[in-house]
């Protein structure tokens, strides 16, 4: 397995974790009744439905990681882009998404 494959697998798994965590956070807020503290009451249903989309996208990222692991070529849509080669840039970008999750779960 090449370094490029390992890198792409890691990126897909990080995306899977972040998307899944956002979905679980929405479900957590809905189950505890705290969702209305963050969202307009008229939009609660839409936000709950968005959790389904987040879970679906997370599953897609997991599937992409598994396909990369097995060496299966991705679809020929050419819609994916290479992540930055800079560790600091990747840490910053993923941190922008992970920080609100961490703050939400610890509060």
């Amino acid at each position: 397995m090449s370094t490029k494959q390992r890198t792409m697998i890691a990126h897909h798994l990080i995306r899977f974790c972040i998307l899944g965590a956002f979905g679980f956070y929405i479900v957590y807020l809905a189950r505890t009744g705290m969702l209305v503290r963050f969202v307009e009451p008229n939009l609660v249903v839409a936000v709950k439905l968005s959790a389904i989309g987040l879970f679906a996208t997370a599953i897609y990222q997991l599937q992409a990681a598994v396909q990369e692991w097995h060496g299966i070529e991705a679809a020929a849509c050419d819609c994916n882009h290479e992540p930055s080669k800079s560790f600091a840039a990747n840490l910053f970008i993923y941190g922008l998404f992970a920080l609100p999750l961490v703050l939400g779960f610890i509060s």
Side-chain angles (χ1 to χ4, degrees):
M1 184 178 303
S2 70
T3 304
K4 181 181 175 185
Q5 279 181 310
R6 287 189 184 111
T7 302
M8 288 307 298
I9 291 169
H11 282 283
H12 287 302
L13 291 176
I14 291 168
R15 294 171 188 167
F16 163 74
C17 291
I18 290 174
L19 289 166
F22 269 113
F24 280 118
Y25 188 59
I26 291 171
V27 170
Y28 166 77
L29 290 175
R31 301 275 295 180
T32 59
M34 292 178 20
L35 188 59
V36 292
R37 292 183 180 182
F38 299 99
V39 178
E40 174 68 30
N42 295 335
L43 296 175
V44 168
V45 173
V47 172
K48 288 179 182 178
L49 290 174
S50 71
I52 297 170
L54 288 167
F55 287 133
T57 309
I59 290 170
Y60 172 77
Q61 290 296 321
L62 182 62
Q63 179 218 9
V66 170
Q67 283 183 339
E68 190 76 36
W69 177 270
H70 290 299
I72 299 171
E73 269 305 307
C77 69
D78 199 29
C79 54
N80 219 356
H81 65 88
E82 296 292 322
S84 174
K85 294 190 185 313
S86 167
F87 178 76
N90 289 324
L91 183 65
F92 176 73
I93 290 169
Y94 290 132
L96 285 176
F97 292 98
L99 181 64
L101 283 169
V102 170
L103 292 175
F105 278 118
I106 63 171
S107 64

